[in-house]
PDB file of all heavy atoms in Angstrom:
ATOM      1  N   ALA A 361       1.188  -5.223   8.777  1.00 97.00           N
ATOM      2  CA  ALA A 361       0.538  -6.347   8.107  1.00 97.00           C
ATOM      3  C   ALA A 361       0.693  -7.621   8.931  1.00 97.00           C
ATOM      4  O   ALA A 361      -0.264  -8.382   9.111  1.00 97.00           O
ATOM      5  CB  ALA A 361       1.121  -6.531   6.710  1.00 97.00           C
ATOM      6  N   ALA A 362       1.891  -7.832   9.455  1.00 97.00           N
ATOM      7  CA  ALA A 362       2.138  -9.070  10.210  1.00 97.00           C
ATOM      8  C   ALA A 362       1.332  -9.113  11.498  1.00 97.00           C
ATOM      9  O   ALA A 362       0.898 -10.186  11.941  1.00 97.00           O
ATOM     10  CB  ALA A 362       3.629  -9.197  10.517  1.00 97.00           C
ATOM     11  N   GLU A 363       1.125  -7.958  12.084  1.00 97.00           N
ATOM     12  CA  GLU A 363       0.343  -7.922  13.323  1.00 97.00           C
ATOM     13  C   GLU A 363      -1.079  -8.434  13.070  1.00 97.00           C
ATOM     14  O   GLU A 363      -1.609  -9.251  13.829  1.00 97.00           O
ATOM     15  CB  GLU A 363       0.307  -6.479  13.838  1.00 97.00           C
ATOM     16  CG  GLU A 363      -0.270  -6.330  15.226  1.00 97.00           C
ATOM     17  CD  GLU A 363      -0.390  -4.860  15.613  1.00 97.00           C
ATOM     18  OE1 GLU A 363       0.356  -4.023  15.056  1.00 97.00           O
ATOM     19  OE2 GLU A 363      -1.234  -4.565  16.471  1.00 97.00           O
ATOM     20  N   ILE A 364      -1.685  -7.948  11.981  1.00 98.00           N
ATOM     21  CA  ILE A 364      -3.034  -8.397  11.657  1.00 98.00           C
ATOM     22  C   ILE A 364      -3.027  -9.822  11.100  1.00 98.00           C
ATOM     23  O   ILE A 364      -3.858 -10.657  11.467  1.00 98.00           O
ATOM     24  CB  ILE A 364      -3.689  -7.445  10.621  1.00 98.00           C
ATOM     25  CG1 ILE A 364      -3.855  -6.035  11.215  1.00 98.00           C
ATOM     26  CG2 ILE A 364      -5.024  -8.009  10.150  1.00 98.00           C
ATOM     27  CD1 ILE A 364      -4.971  -5.889  12.229  1.00 98.00           C
ATOM     28  N   MET A 365      -2.063 -10.117  10.230  1.00 98.00           N
ATOM     29  CA  MET A 365      -2.094 -11.417   9.551  1.00 98.00           C
ATOM     30  C   MET A 365      -1.668 -12.559  10.467  1.00 98.00           C
ATOM     31  O   MET A 365      -2.331 -13.591  10.547  1.00 98.00           O
ATOM     32  CB  MET A 365      -1.229 -11.350   8.289  1.00 98.00           C
ATOM     33  CG  MET A 365      -1.805 -10.360   7.280  1.00 98.00           C
ATOM     34  SD  MET A 365      -0.750 -10.030   5.871  1.00 98.00           S
ATOM     35  CE  MET A 365      -0.940 -11.544   4.919  1.00 98.00           C
ATOM     36  N   GLY A 366      -0.546 -12.380  11.150  1.00 98.00           N
ATOM     37  CA  GLY A 366      -0.079 -13.428  12.048  1.00 98.00           C
ATOM     38  C   GLY A 366      -0.898 -13.484  13.324  1.00 98.00           C
ATOM     39  O   GLY A 366      -1.033 -14.528  13.955  1.00 98.00           O
ATOM     40  N   GLY A 367      -1.459 -12.335  13.704  1.00 97.00           N
ATOM     41  CA  GLY A 367      -2.262 -12.268  14.930  1.00 97.00           C
ATOM     42  C   GLY A 367      -3.727 -12.539  14.650  1.00 97.00           C
ATOM     43  O   GLY A 367      -4.210 -13.668  14.795  1.00 97.00           O
ATOM     44  N   THR A 368      -4.414 -11.503  14.191  1.00 98.00           N
ATOM     45  CA  THR A 368      -5.868 -11.591  14.031  1.00 98.00           C
ATOM     46  C   THR A 368      -6.302 -12.691  13.057  1.00 98.00           C
ATOM     47  O   THR A 368      -7.162 -13.513  13.378  1.00 98.00           O
ATOM     48  CB  THR A 368      -6.411 -10.245  13.493  1.00 98.00           C
ATOM     49  OG1 THR A 368      -5.955  -9.196  14.334  1.00 98.00           O
ATOM     50  CG2 THR A 368      -7.930 -10.267  13.455  1.00 98.00           C
ATOM     51  N   ILE A 369      -5.726 -12.674  11.856  1.00 98.00           N
ATOM     52  CA  ILE A 369      -6.233 -13.584  10.817  1.00 98.00           C
ATOM     53  C   ILE A 369      -5.863 -15.028  11.132  1.00 98.00           C
ATOM     54  O   ILE A 369      -6.723 -15.911  11.155  1.00 98.00           O
ATOM     55  CB  ILE A 369      -5.724 -13.155   9.420  1.00 98.00           C
ATOM     56  CG1 ILE A 369      -6.312 -11.784   9.063  1.00 98.00           C
ATOM     57  CG2 ILE A 369      -6.096 -14.204   8.373  1.00 98.00           C
ATOM     58  CD1 ILE A 369      -5.866 -11.223   7.732  1.00 98.00           C
ATOM     59  N   GLN A 370      -4.579 -15.278  11.394  1.00 98.00           N
ATOM     60  CA  GLN A 370      -4.189 -16.655  11.707  1.00 98.00           C
ATOM     61  C   GLN A 370      -4.900 -17.125  12.977  1.00 98.00           C
ATOM     62  O   GLN A 370      -5.371 -18.261  13.048  1.00 98.00           O
ATOM     63  CB  GLN A 370      -2.664 -16.748  11.870  1.00 98.00           C
ATOM     64  CG  GLN A 370      -2.145 -18.177  11.877  1.00 98.00           C
ATOM     65  CD  GLN A 370      -2.309 -18.868  10.514  1.00 98.00           C
ATOM     66  OE1 GLN A 370      -1.733 -18.428   9.538  1.00 98.00           O
ATOM     67  NE2 GLN A 370      -3.104 -19.936  10.455  1.00 98.00           N
ATOM     68  N   GLY A 371      -4.994 -16.228  13.946  1.00 98.00           N
ATOM     69  CA  GLY A 371      -5.659 -16.592  15.200  1.00 98.00           C
ATOM     70  C   GLY A 371      -7.131 -16.935  14.982  1.00 98.00           C
ATOM     71  O   GLY A 371      -7.635 -17.923  15.523  1.00 98.00           O
ATOM     72  N   SER A 372      -7.825 -16.131  14.191  1.00 98.00           N
ATOM     73  CA  SER A 372      -9.243 -16.399  13.920  1.00 98.00           C
ATOM     74  C   SER A 372      -9.402 -17.716  13.167  1.00 98.00           C
ATOM     75  O   SER A 372     -10.281 -18.528  13.482  1.00 98.00           O
ATOM     76  CB  SER A 372      -9.859 -15.283  13.072  1.00 98.00           C
ATOM     77  OG  SER A 372      -9.800 -14.051  13.737  1.00 98.00           O
ATOM     78  N   LEU A 373      -8.557 -17.924  12.159  1.00 98.00           N
ATOM     79  CA  LEU A 373      -8.675 -19.168  11.376  1.00 98.00           C
ATOM     80  C   LEU A 373      -8.370 -20.380  12.249  1.00 98.00           C
ATOM     81  O   LEU A 373      -9.055 -21.409  12.158  1.00 98.00           O
ATOM     82  CB  LEU A 373      -7.721 -19.131  10.170  1.00 98.00           C
ATOM     83  CG  LEU A 373      -8.063 -18.128   9.059  1.00 98.00           C
ATOM     84  CD1 LEU A 373      -6.971 -18.129   7.989  1.00 98.00           C
ATOM     85  CD2 LEU A 373      -9.417 -18.440   8.424  1.00 98.00           C
ATOM     86  N   ASN A 374      -7.364 -20.259  13.100  1.00 98.00           N
ATOM     87  CA  ASN A 374      -7.044 -21.372  14.006  1.00 98.00           C
ATOM     88  C   ASN A 374      -8.228 -21.691  14.907  1.00 98.00           C
ATOM     89  O   ASN A 374      -8.590 -22.860  15.097  1.00 98.00           O
ATOM     90  CB  ASN A 374      -5.841 -21.026  14.891  1.00 98.00           C
ATOM     91  CG  ASN A 374      -4.546 -20.935  14.118  1.00 98.00           C
ATOM     92  OD1 ASN A 374      -4.472 -21.324  12.956  1.00 98.00           O
ATOM     93  ND2 ASN A 374      -3.513 -20.388  14.756  1.00 98.00           N
ATOM     94  N   ALA A 375      -8.813 -20.624  15.461  1.00 97.00           N
ATOM     95  CA  ALA A 375      -9.925 -20.832  16.389  1.00 97.00           C
ATOM     96  C   ALA A 375     -11.128 -21.449  15.681  1.00 97.00           C
ATOM     97  O   ALA A 375     -11.837 -22.280  16.243  1.00 97.00           O
ATOM     98  CB  ALA A 375     -10.312 -19.494  17.026  1.00 97.00           C
ATOM     99  N   LEU A 376     -11.346 -21.029  14.440  1.00 97.00           N
ATOM    100  CA  LEU A 376     -12.528 -21.517  13.719  1.00 97.00           C
ATOM    101  C   LEU A 376     -12.314 -22.897  13.104  1.00 97.00           C
ATOM    102  O   LEU A 376     -13.236 -23.709  13.044  1.00 97.00           O
ATOM    103  CB  LEU A 376     -12.895 -20.531  12.598  1.00 97.00           C
ATOM    104  CG  LEU A 376     -13.456 -19.171  13.018  1.00 97.00           C
ATOM    105  CD1 LEU A 376     -13.450 -18.194  11.843  1.00 97.00           C
ATOM    106  CD2 LEU A 376     -14.875 -19.326  13.562  1.00 97.00           C
TER     107      LEU A 376
END
Side-chain angles (χ1 to χ4, degrees):
E363 190 185 336
I364 296 285
M365 296 172 74
T368 307
I369 295 178
Q370 193 68 62
S372 299
L373 291 176
N374 291 349
L376 290 166

